[in-house]
Amino acid sequence: NAGVMQNPRHLVRRRGQEARLRCSPMKGHSHVYWYRQLPEEGLKFMVYLQKENIIDESGMPKERFSAEFPKEGPSILRIQQVVRGDSAAYFCASSLRQGEAFFGQGTRLTVV
Amino acid sequence: KQEVTQIPAALSVPEGENLVLNCSFTDSAIYNLQWFRQDPGKGLTSLLLIQSSQREQTSGRLNASLDKSSGRSTLYIAASQPGDSATYLCALGVGNTPLVFGKGTRLSVIA
């Protein structure tokens, strides 16, 4: 059973471009969470999704950020018109039930 | 609002020493508590998960305790090794909300 898979591992975008981050949860897991980690900071919750539904997006910036978890395929975190402040590590986690989460290796986004 | 604090922020110890990392939280109504390890530039590896009904969990040289009434958890590492050097994160599961993380303790074990 493969773990949580995130790709790409590293992503470089110029200011104003779009960034798409993908996350495939562990097999059988229907809960997906996205977190952002800034340098020297802890992980900050962004959004919680179940298949085809956004459950909690209280940590997501209101503009430029969106997330989906379609019936088929990976979860996608999309950042439009990226700015330098979006540079961070973005982690995805999945769980079978509430509480216990398994994390991917993260996508490190650098905006130049 | 649940807040998680980890003390110390950084710790440096000689190899072989036993050590304790601390995690405190403000709301005792938790579902579970999880300790993670993060190596530089890497993802998070789950070390121990303690359900709210449990007092402690052990895995090898690691022991984690949970005291909900005082809002505290400790991670005890016995006979530390240079390979234990990493950042250790404490995270709380609270009902139907996602995990709430502390900022972590950065551990260096010196050979």
Side-chain angles (χ1 to χ4, degrees):
Chain A
N1 187 7
V4 177
M5 304 299 292
Q6 288 189 250
N7 65 82
R9 293 288 308 276
H10 299 275
L11 182 62
V12 179
R13 284 287 177 265
R14 295 186 184 279
R15 281 179 294 171
Q17 290 184 319
E18 178 180 287
R20 279 185 180 240
L21 289 62
R22 288 176 290 277
C23 169
S24 296
M26 288 181 69
K27 187 176 181 180
H29 285 193
S30 59
H31 301 256
V32 167
Y33 310 84
W34 285 93
Y35 291 82
R36 176 163 63 178
Q37 186 178 39
L38 295 168
E40 305 301 320
E41 293 286 329
L43 274 76
K44 300 295 185 185
F45 164 72
M46 298 182 74
V47 61
Y48 162 35
L49 309 104
Q50 292 184 25
K51 282 288 187 181
E52 299 185 274
N53 290 304
I54 295 174
I55 307 301
D56 182 352
E57 55 182 349
S58 58
M60 192 105 94
K62 293 289 185 274
E63 298 179 351
R64 302 189 297 108
F65 285 73
S66 62
E68 62 178 11
F69 188 17
K71 187 176 180 181
E72 302 290 338
S75 175
I76 305 288
L77 178 67
R78 182 181 177 206
I79 311 172
Q80 295 178 290
Q81 299 174 334
V82 296
V83 301
R84 288 231 171 98
D86 296 333
S87 296
Y90 292 83
F91 289 96
C92 169
S94 74
S95 68
L96 182 60
R97 52 188 168 272
Q98 280 296 322
E100 184 173 14
F102 297 87
F103 281 77
Q105 291 294 302
T107 293
R108 277 149 189 85
L109 172 66
T110 302
V111 179
V112 298
Chain B
K1 179 186 172 186
Q2 180 73 268
E3 292 185 4
V4 181
T5 303
Q6 290 190 246
I7 295 173
L11 180 64
S12 183
V13 300
E15 182 178 6
E17 196 162 292
N18 302 326
L19 58 101
V20 174
L21 307 181
N22 297 292
C23 172
S24 61
F25 46 94
T26 54
D27 187 344
S28 61
I30 65 171
Y31 187 76
N32 58 36
L33 185 145
Q34 205 165 351
W35 281 93
F36 292 90
R37 168 184 173 141
Q38 184 177 28
D39 292 282
K42 304 289 186 181
L44 278 70
T45 300
S46 180
L47 298 174
L48 290 164
L49 171 71
I50 311 176
Q51 301 291 351
S52 62
S53 58
Q54 298 174 320
R55 299 280 297 187
E56 66 177 347
Q57 282 286 334
T58 298
S59 176
R61 294 182 294 108
L62 305 180
N63 175 276
S65 68
L66 174 63
D67 184 345
K68 287 200 309 178
S69 61
S70 66
R72 291 181 182 176
S73 175
T74 61
L75 179 66
Y76 174 82
I77 302 177
S80 58
Q81 303 170 359
D84 295 331
S85 298
T87 296
Y88 291 81
L89 297 163
C90 163
L92 271 62
V94 184
N96 289 323
T97 62
L99 294 176
V100 179
F101 282 85
K103 290 188 176 182
T105 293
R106 191 166 57 252
L107 173 66
S108 296
V109 181
I110 311 301

PDB file of all heavy atoms in Angstrom, chain B residues 18-50:
ATOM      1  N   ASN B  18      19.300  10.730  27.627  1.00  0.00           N
ATOM      2  CA  ASN B  18      17.838  10.627  27.573  1.00  0.00           C
ATOM      3  C   ASN B  18      17.274  12.042  27.555  1.00  0.00           C
ATOM      4  O   ASN B  18      17.805  12.948  28.206  1.00  0.00           O
ATOM      5  CB  ASN B  18      17.303   9.879  28.795  1.00  0.00           C
ATOM      6  CG  ASN B  18      17.894   8.487  28.913  1.00  0.00           C
ATOM      7  OD1 ASN B  18      18.160   7.815  27.907  1.00  0.00           O
ATOM      8  ND2 ASN B  18      18.104   8.035  30.149  1.00  0.00           N
ATOM      9  N   LEU B  19      16.179  12.244  26.828  1.00  0.00           N
ATOM     10  CA  LEU B  19      15.654  13.598  26.743  1.00  0.00           C
ATOM     11  C   LEU B  19      14.132  13.584  26.669  1.00  0.00           C
ATOM     12  O   LEU B  19      13.508  12.576  26.324  1.00  0.00           O
ATOM     13  CB  LEU B  19      16.247  14.325  25.538  1.00  0.00           C
ATOM     14  CG  LEU B  19      16.017  13.685  24.178  1.00  0.00           C
ATOM     15  CD1 LEU B  19      14.892  14.389  23.463  1.00  0.00           C
ATOM     16  CD2 LEU B  19      17.280  13.751  23.317  1.00  0.00           C
ATOM     17  N   VAL B  20      13.558  14.753  26.991  1.00  0.00           N
ATOM     18  CA  VAL B  20      12.108  14.912  27.001  1.00  0.00           C
ATOM     19  C   VAL B  20      11.730  16.150  26.197  1.00  0.00           C
ATOM     20  O   VAL B  20      12.289  17.229  26.403  1.00  0.00           O
ATOM     21  CB  VAL B  20      11.572  15.054  28.444  1.00  0.00           C
ATOM     22  CG1 VAL B  20      10.085  15.357  28.424  1.00  0.00           C
ATOM     23  CG2 VAL B  20      11.852  13.787  29.234  1.00  0.00           C
ATOM     24  N   LEU B  21      10.796  15.970  25.292  1.00  0.00           N
ATOM     25  CA  LEU B  21      10.228  17.087  24.547  1.00  0.00           C
ATOM     26  C   LEU B  21       8.819  17.335  25.062  1.00  0.00           C
ATOM     27  O   LEU B  21       8.085  16.385  25.336  1.00  0.00           O
ATOM     28  CB  LEU B  21      10.194  16.767  23.050  1.00  0.00           C
ATOM     29  CG  LEU B  21      11.522  16.316  22.423  1.00  0.00           C
ATOM     30  CD1 LEU B  21      11.339  16.052  20.938  1.00  0.00           C
ATOM     31  CD2 LEU B  21      12.614  17.340  22.657  1.00  0.00           C
ATOM     32  N   ASN B  22       8.455  18.593  25.152  1.00  0.00           N
ATOM     33  CA  ASN B  22       7.180  18.953  25.748  1.00  0.00           C
ATOM     34  C   ASN B  22       6.208  19.563  24.751  1.00  0.00           C
ATOM     35  O   ASN B  22       6.601  20.297  23.837  1.00  0.00           O
ATOM     36  CB  ASN B  22       7.404  19.971  26.871  1.00  0.00           C
ATOM     37  CG  ASN B  22       8.223  19.391  27.994  1.00  0.00           C
ATOM     38  OD1 ASN B  22       7.788  18.513  28.713  1.00  0.00           O
ATOM     39  ND2 ASN B  22       9.455  19.873  28.137  1.00  0.00           N
ATOM     40  N   CYS B  23       4.946  19.267  24.973  1.00  0.00           N
ATOM     41  CA  CYS B  23       3.868  19.812  24.143  1.00  0.00           C
ATOM     42  C   CYS B  23       2.721  20.170  25.075  1.00  0.00           C
ATOM     43  O   CYS B  23       2.306  19.332  25.886  1.00  0.00           O
ATOM     44  CB  CYS B  23       3.431  18.758  23.127  1.00  0.00           C
ATOM     45  SG  CYS B  23       1.949  19.180  22.174  1.00  0.00           S
ATOM     46  N   SER B  24       2.222  21.391  24.986  1.00  0.00           N
ATOM     47  CA  SER B  24       1.078  21.782  25.806  1.00  0.00           C
ATOM     48  C   SER B  24      -0.023  22.318  24.910  1.00  0.00           C
ATOM     49  O   SER B  24       0.237  22.867  23.828  1.00  0.00           O
ATOM     50  CB  SER B  24       1.484  22.835  26.848  1.00  0.00           C
ATOM     51  OG  SER B  24       1.960  23.997  26.206  1.00  0.00           O
ATOM     52  N   PHE B  25      -1.251  22.146  25.354  1.00  0.00           N
ATOM     53  CA  PHE B  25      -2.390  22.585  24.557  1.00  0.00           C
ATOM     54  C   PHE B  25      -3.431  23.215  25.467  1.00  0.00           C
ATOM     55  O   PHE B  25      -3.490  22.955  26.670  1.00  0.00           O
ATOM     56  CB  PHE B  25      -2.985  21.415  23.750  1.00  0.00           C
ATOM     57  CG  PHE B  25      -3.181  20.144  24.523  1.00  0.00           C
ATOM     58  CD1 PHE B  25      -4.397  19.844  25.122  1.00  0.00           C
ATOM     59  CD2 PHE B  25      -2.139  19.220  24.644  1.00  0.00           C
ATOM     60  CE1 PHE B  25      -4.576  18.667  25.821  1.00  0.00           C
ATOM     61  CE2 PHE B  25      -2.314  18.040  25.343  1.00  0.00           C
ATOM     62  CZ  PHE B  25      -3.530  17.768  25.937  1.00  0.00           C
ATOM     63  N   THR B  26      -4.276  24.064  24.885  1.00  0.00           N
ATOM     64  CA  THR B  26      -5.165  24.887  25.693  1.00  0.00           C
ATOM     65  C   THR B  26      -6.545  24.266  25.916  1.00  0.00           C
ATOM     66  O   THR B  26      -7.210  24.592  26.896  1.00  0.00           O
ATOM     67  CB  THR B  26      -5.339  26.267  25.032  1.00  0.00           C
ATOM     68  OG1 THR B  26      -5.767  26.083  23.672  1.00  0.00           O
ATOM     69  CG2 THR B  26      -4.037  27.040  25.060  1.00  0.00           C
ATOM     70  N   ASP B  27      -6.973  23.390  25.014  1.00  0.00           N
ATOM     71  CA  ASP B  27      -8.309  22.800  25.119  1.00  0.00           C
ATOM     72  C   ASP B  27      -8.167  21.295  25.295  1.00  0.00           C
ATOM     73  O   ASP B  27      -7.631  20.618  24.425  1.00  0.00           O
ATOM     74  CB  ASP B  27      -9.116  23.114  23.849  1.00  0.00           C
ATOM     75  CG  ASP B  27     -10.575  22.692  23.953  1.00  0.00           C
ATOM     76  OD1 ASP B  27     -10.917  21.896  24.862  1.00  0.00           O
ATOM     77  OD2 ASP B  27     -11.371  23.150  23.120  1.00  0.00           O
ATOM     78  N   SER B  28      -8.659  20.795  26.426  1.00  0.00           N
ATOM     79  CA  SER B  28      -8.468  19.373  26.727  1.00  0.00           C
ATOM     80  C   SER B  28      -9.450  18.466  25.991  1.00  0.00           C
ATOM     81  O   SER B  28      -9.347  17.244  26.063  1.00  0.00           O
ATOM     82  CB  SER B  28      -8.609  19.135  28.237  1.00  0.00           C
ATOM     83  OG  SER B  28      -9.905  19.500  28.668  1.00  0.00           O
ATOM     84  N   ALA B  29     -10.397  19.050  25.273  1.00  0.00           N
ATOM     85  CA  ALA B  29     -11.374  18.237  24.526  1.00  0.00           C
ATOM     86  C   ALA B  29     -10.763  17.781  23.212  1.00  0.00           C
ATOM     87  O   ALA B  29     -11.100  18.274  22.136  1.00  0.00           O
ATOM     88  CB  ALA B  29     -12.636  19.047  24.277  1.00  0.00           C
ATOM     89  N   ILE B  30      -9.843  16.825  23.306  1.00  0.00           N
ATOM     90  CA  ILE B  30      -9.144  16.374  22.100  1.00  0.00           C
ATOM     91  C   ILE B  30      -9.575  14.955  21.748  1.00  0.00           C
ATOM     92  O   ILE B  30     -10.064  14.201  22.592  1.00  0.00           O
ATOM     93  CB  ILE B  30      -7.613  16.421  22.278  1.00  0.00           C
ATOM     94  CG1 ILE B  30      -7.164  15.422  23.363  1.00  0.00           C
ATOM     95  CG2 ILE B  30      -7.148  17.821  22.618  1.00  0.00           C
ATOM     96  CD1 ILE B  30      -5.658  15.268  23.440  1.00  0.00           C
ATOM     97  N   TYR B  31      -9.387  14.605  20.499  1.00  0.00           N
ATOM     98  CA  TYR B  31      -9.710  13.281  19.984  1.00  0.00           C
ATOM     99  C   TYR B  31      -8.504  12.362  20.123  1.00  0.00           C
ATOM    100  O   TYR B  31      -8.602  11.223  20.524  1.00  0.00           O
ATOM    101  CB  TYR B  31     -10.140  13.421  18.535  1.00  0.00           C
ATOM    102  CG  TYR B  31     -10.670  12.178  17.885  1.00  0.00           C
ATOM    103  CD1 TYR B  31     -11.939  11.713  18.170  1.00  0.00           C
ATOM    104  CD2 TYR B  31      -9.899  11.470  16.971  1.00  0.00           C
ATOM    105  CE1 TYR B  31     -12.432  10.573  17.560  1.00  0.00           C
ATOM    106  CE2 TYR B  31     -10.374  10.337  16.364  1.00  0.00           C
ATOM    107  CZ  TYR B  31     -11.643   9.896  16.659  1.00  0.00           C
ATOM    108  OH  TYR B  31     -12.114   8.766  16.057  1.00  0.00           O
ATOM    109  N   ASN B  32      -7.337  12.891  19.750  1.00  0.00           N
ATOM    110  CA  ASN B  32      -6.085  12.167  19.925  1.00  0.00           C
ATOM    111  C   ASN B  32      -4.920  13.144  19.798  1.00  0.00           C
ATOM    112  O   ASN B  32      -5.115  14.330  19.499  1.00  0.00           O
ATOM    113  CB  ASN B  32      -5.923  11.017  18.922  1.00  0.00           C
ATOM    114  CG  ASN B  32      -5.976  11.490  17.483  1.00  0.00           C
ATOM    115  OD1 ASN B  32      -5.496  12.558  17.161  1.00  0.00           O
ATOM    116  ND2 ASN B  32      -6.563  10.682  16.613  1.00  0.00           N
ATOM    117  N   LEU B  33      -3.731  12.640  20.067  1.00  0.00           N
ATOM    118  CA  LEU B  33      -2.529  13.446  19.934  1.00  0.00           C
ATOM    119  C   LEU B  33      -1.487  12.618  19.184  1.00  0.00           C
ATOM    120  O   LEU B  33      -1.310  11.430  19.468  1.00  0.00           O
ATOM    121  CB  LEU B  33      -2.003  13.855  21.308  1.00  0.00           C
ATOM    122  CG  LEU B  33      -0.807  14.802  21.332  1.00  0.00           C
ATOM    123  CD1 LEU B  33      -0.907  15.762  22.517  1.00  0.00           C
ATOM    124  CD2 LEU B  33       0.513  14.063  21.375  1.00  0.00           C
ATOM    125  N   GLN B  34      -0.822  13.250  18.257  1.00  0.00           N
ATOM    126  CA  GLN B  34       0.123  12.537  17.408  1.00  0.00           C
ATOM    127  C   GLN B  34       1.472  13.255  17.447  1.00  0.00           C
ATOM    128  O   GLN B  34       1.530  14.485  17.366  1.00  0.00           O
ATOM    129  CB  GLN B  34      -0.427  12.501  15.972  1.00  0.00           C
ATOM    130  CG  GLN B  34       0.058  11.372  15.116  1.00  0.00           C
ATOM    131  CD  GLN B  34      -0.806  11.186  13.854  1.00  0.00           C
ATOM    132  OE1 GLN B  34      -1.851  11.785  13.685  1.00  0.00           O
ATOM    133  NE2 GLN B  34      -0.339  10.340  12.957  1.00  0.00           N
ATOM    134  N   TRP B  35       2.536  12.480  17.558  1.00  0.00           N
ATOM    135  CA  TRP B  35       3.897  13.016  17.453  1.00  0.00           C
ATOM    136  C   TRP B  35       4.467  12.620  16.094  1.00  0.00           C
ATOM    137  O   TRP B  35       4.374  11.459  15.677  1.00  0.00           O
ATOM    138  CB  TRP B  35       4.788  12.470  18.563  1.00  0.00           C
ATOM    139  CG  TRP B  35       4.598  13.140  19.889  1.00  0.00           C
ATOM    140  CD1 TRP B  35       3.771  12.745  20.903  1.00  0.00           C
ATOM    141  CD2 TRP B  35       5.263  14.311  20.363  1.00  0.00           C
ATOM    142  NE1 TRP B  35       3.874  13.604  21.972  1.00  0.00           N
ATOM    143  CE2 TRP B  35       4.788  14.583  21.667  1.00  0.00           C
ATOM    144  CE3 TRP B  35       6.221  15.181  19.810  1.00  0.00           C
ATOM    145  CZ2 TRP B  35       5.232  15.667  22.435  1.00  0.00           C
ATOM    146  CZ3 TRP B  35       6.656  16.252  20.564  1.00  0.00           C
ATOM    147  CH2 TRP B  35       6.161  16.486  21.858  1.00  0.00           C
ATOM    148  N   PHE B  36       5.068  13.624  15.436  1.00  0.00           N
ATOM    149  CA  PHE B  36       5.672  13.408  14.125  1.00  0.00           C
ATOM    150  C   PHE B  36       7.150  13.783  14.181  1.00  0.00           C
ATOM    151  O   PHE B  36       7.579  14.607  14.989  1.00  0.00           O
ATOM    152  CB  PHE B  36       5.017  14.297  13.062  1.00  0.00           C
ATOM    153  CG  PHE B  36       3.597  13.961  12.739  1.00  0.00           C
ATOM    154  CD1 PHE B  36       2.561  14.548  13.444  1.00  0.00           C
ATOM    155  CD2 PHE B  36       3.302  13.092  11.707  1.00  0.00           C
ATOM    156  CE1 PHE B  36       1.249  14.264  13.137  1.00  0.00           C
ATOM    157  CE2 PHE B  36       1.986  12.803  11.380  1.00  0.00           C
ATOM    158  CZ  PHE B  36       0.962  13.383  12.100  1.00  0.00           C
ATOM    159  N   ARG B  37       7.867  13.229  13.241  1.00  0.00           N
ATOM    160  CA  ARG B  37       9.262  13.606  13.018  1.00  0.00           C
ATOM    161  C   ARG B  37       9.364  14.179  11.609  1.00  0.00           C
ATOM    162  O   ARG B  37       8.773  13.637  10.669  1.00  0.00           O
ATOM    163  CB  ARG B  37      10.153  12.370  13.150  1.00  0.00           C
ATOM    164  CG  ARG B  37      11.559  12.592  12.670  1.00  0.00           C
ATOM    165  CD  ARG B  37      12.379  11.330  12.714  1.00  0.00           C
ATOM    166  NE  ARG B  37      13.669  11.571  12.095  1.00  0.00           N
ATOM    167  CZ  ARG B  37      14.816  11.087  12.542  1.00  0.00           C
ATOM    168  NH1 ARG B  37      14.844  10.281  13.595  1.00  0.00           N
ATOM    169  NH2 ARG B  37      15.952  11.354  11.922  1.00  0.00           N
ATOM    170  N   GLN B  38      10.119  15.274  11.486  1.00  0.00           N
ATOM    171  CA  GLN B  38      10.343  15.856  10.167  1.00  0.00           C
ATOM    172  C   GLN B  38      11.831  16.099   9.985  1.00  0.00           C
ATOM    173  O   GLN B  38      12.441  16.849  10.749  1.00  0.00           O
ATOM    174  CB  GLN B  38       9.571  17.172   9.986  1.00  0.00           C
ATOM    175  CG  GLN B  38       9.700  17.745   8.585  1.00  0.00           C
ATOM    176  CD  GLN B  38       8.892  18.995   8.368  1.00  0.00           C
ATOM    177  OE1 GLN B  38       8.625  19.750   9.299  1.00  0.00           O
ATOM    178  NE2 GLN B  38       8.470  19.236   7.123  1.00  0.00           N
ATOM    179  N   ASP B  39      12.411  15.478   8.968  1.00  0.00           N
ATOM    180  CA  ASP B  39      13.800  15.724   8.621  1.00  0.00           C
ATOM    181  C   ASP B  39      13.866  16.911   7.663  1.00  0.00           C
ATOM    182  O   ASP B  39      12.908  17.177   6.929  1.00  0.00           O
ATOM    183  CB  ASP B  39      14.411  14.467   7.989  1.00  0.00           C
ATOM    184  CG  ASP B  39      14.543  13.354   9.007  1.00  0.00           C
ATOM    185  OD1 ASP B  39      15.478  13.411   9.809  1.00  0.00           O
ATOM    186  OD2 ASP B  39      13.678  12.446   9.029  1.00  0.00           O
ATOM    187  N   PRO B  40      14.992  17.620   7.634  1.00  0.00           N
ATOM    188  CA  PRO B  40      15.089  18.828   6.781  1.00  0.00           C
ATOM    189  C   PRO B  40      14.712  18.544   5.336  1.00  0.00           C
ATOM    190  O   PRO B  40      15.221  17.600   4.715  1.00  0.00           O
ATOM    191  CB  PRO B  40      16.567  19.217   6.923  1.00  0.00           C
ATOM    192  CG  PRO B  40      16.973  18.681   8.245  1.00  0.00           C
ATOM    193  CD  PRO B  40      16.221  17.388   8.405  1.00  0.00           C
ATOM    194  N   GLY B  41      13.812  19.342   4.806  1.00  0.00           N
ATOM    195  CA  GLY B  41      13.405  19.193   3.415  1.00  0.00           C
ATOM    196  C   GLY B  41      12.556  17.972   3.129  1.00  0.00           C
ATOM    197  O   GLY B  41      12.325  17.637   1.960  1.00  0.00           O
ATOM    198  N   LYS B  42      12.088  17.321   4.171  1.00  0.00           N
ATOM    199  CA  LYS B  42      11.300  16.089   3.984  1.00  0.00           C
ATOM    200  C   LYS B  42       9.887  16.256   4.514  1.00  0.00           C
ATOM    201  O   LYS B  42       9.514  17.288   5.073  1.00  0.00           O
ATOM    202  CB  LYS B  42      11.986  14.928   4.717  1.00  0.00           C
ATOM    203  CG  LYS B  42      13.420  14.678   4.317  1.00  0.00           C
ATOM    204  CD  LYS B  42      13.521  14.092   2.936  1.00  0.00           C
ATOM    205  CE  LYS B  42      14.965  13.718   2.620  1.00  0.00           C
ATOM    206  NZ  LYS B  42      15.096  13.155   1.261  1.00  0.00           N
ATOM    207  N   GLY B  43       9.116  15.176   4.348  1.00  0.00           N
ATOM    208  CA  GLY B  43       7.763  15.177   4.872  1.00  0.00           C
ATOM    209  C   GLY B  43       7.722  14.777   6.335  1.00  0.00           C
ATOM    210  O   GLY B  43       8.741  14.735   7.016  1.00  0.00           O
ATOM    211  N   LEU B  44       6.530  14.484   6.807  1.00  0.00           N
ATOM    212  CA  LEU B  44       6.323  14.121   8.209  1.00  0.00           C
ATOM    213  C   LEU B  44       6.166  12.614   8.341  1.00  0.00           C
ATOM    214  O   LEU B  44       5.429  11.989   7.584  1.00  0.00           O
ATOM    215  CB  LEU B  44       5.064  14.794   8.749  1.00  0.00           C
ATOM    216  CG  LEU B  44       5.189  16.236   9.220  1.00  0.00           C
ATOM    217  CD1 LEU B  44       5.407  17.172   8.049  1.00  0.00           C
ATOM    218  CD2 LEU B  44       3.959  16.641  10.013  1.00  0.00           C
ATOM    219  N   THR B  45       6.841  12.084   9.341  1.00  0.00           N
ATOM    220  CA  THR B  45       6.713  10.664   9.646  1.00  0.00           C
ATOM    221  C   THR B  45       6.022  10.530  10.988  1.00  0.00           C
ATOM    222  O   THR B  45       6.476  11.100  11.982  1.00  0.00           O
ATOM    223  CB  THR B  45       8.092   9.991   9.710  1.00  0.00           C
ATOM    224  OG1 THR B  45       8.753  10.143   8.447  1.00  0.00           O
ATOM    225  CG2 THR B  45       7.958   8.521  10.044  1.00  0.00           C
ATOM    226  N   SER B  46       4.931   9.793  11.023  1.00  0.00           N
ATOM    227  CA  SER B  46       4.215   9.605  12.276  1.00  0.00           C
ATOM    228  C   SER B  46       5.015   8.678  13.198  1.00  0.00           C
ATOM    229  O   SER B  46       5.463   7.614  12.774  1.00  0.00           O
ATOM    230  CB  SER B  46       2.837   8.989  12.014  1.00  0.00           C
ATOM    231  OG  SER B  46       2.139   8.809  13.221  1.00  0.00           O
ATOM    232  N   LEU B  47       5.206   9.108  14.439  1.00  0.00           N
ATOM    233  CA  LEU B  47       5.956   8.328  15.415  1.00  0.00           C
ATOM    234  C   LEU B  47       5.028   7.580  16.360  1.00  0.00           C
ATOM    235  O   LEU B  47       5.163   6.373  16.545  1.00  0.00           O
ATOM    236  CB  LEU B  47       6.879   9.246  16.223  1.00  0.00           C
ATOM    237  CG  LEU B  47       7.953   9.986  15.440  1.00  0.00           C
ATOM    238  CD1 LEU B  47       8.679  10.963  16.354  1.00  0.00           C
ATOM    239  CD2 LEU B  47       8.942   9.012  14.824  1.00  0.00           C
ATOM    240  N   LEU B  48       4.140   8.311  16.971  1.00  0.00           N
ATOM    241  CA  LEU B  48       3.246   7.731  17.963  1.00  0.00           C
ATOM    242  C   LEU B  48       1.903   8.450  17.916  1.00  0.00           C
ATOM    243  O   LEU B  48       1.853   9.668  17.731  1.00  0.00           O
ATOM    244  CB  LEU B  48       3.836   7.860  19.377  1.00  0.00           C
ATOM    245  CG  LEU B  48       5.064   6.992  19.686  1.00  0.00           C
ATOM    246  CD1 LEU B  48       5.772   7.491  20.932  1.00  0.00           C
ATOM    247  CD2 LEU B  48       4.645   5.538  19.857  1.00  0.00           C
ATOM    248  N   LEU B  49       0.848   7.684  18.108  1.00  0.00           N
ATOM    249  CA  LEU B  49      -0.508   8.233  18.173  1.00  0.00           C
ATOM    250  C   LEU B  49      -1.113   7.808  19.494  1.00  0.00           C
ATOM    251  O   LEU B  49      -1.139   6.613  19.806  1.00  0.00           O
ATOM    252  CB  LEU B  49      -1.345   7.710  17.012  1.00  0.00           C
ATOM    253  CG  LEU B  49      -2.843   8.016  17.048  1.00  0.00           C
ATOM    254  CD1 LEU B  49      -3.083   9.484  16.801  1.00  0.00           C
ATOM    255  CD2 LEU B  49      -3.591   7.169  16.027  1.00  0.00           C
ATOM    256  N   ILE B  50      -1.587   8.760  20.275  1.00  0.00           N
ATOM    257  CA  ILE B  50      -2.235   8.455  21.548  1.00  0.00           C
ATOM    258  C   ILE B  50      -3.699   8.863  21.449  1.00  0.00           C
ATOM    259  O   ILE B  50      -4.005  10.034  21.191  1.00  0.00           O
ATOM    260  CB  ILE B  50      -1.596   9.220  22.728  1.00  0.00           C
ATOM    261  CG1 ILE B  50      -0.075   9.080  22.710  1.00  0.00           C
ATOM    262  CG2 ILE B  50      -2.153   8.710  24.049  1.00  0.00           C
ATOM    263  CD1 ILE B  50       0.605   9.889  23.805  1.00  0.00           C
TER     264      ILE B  50
END
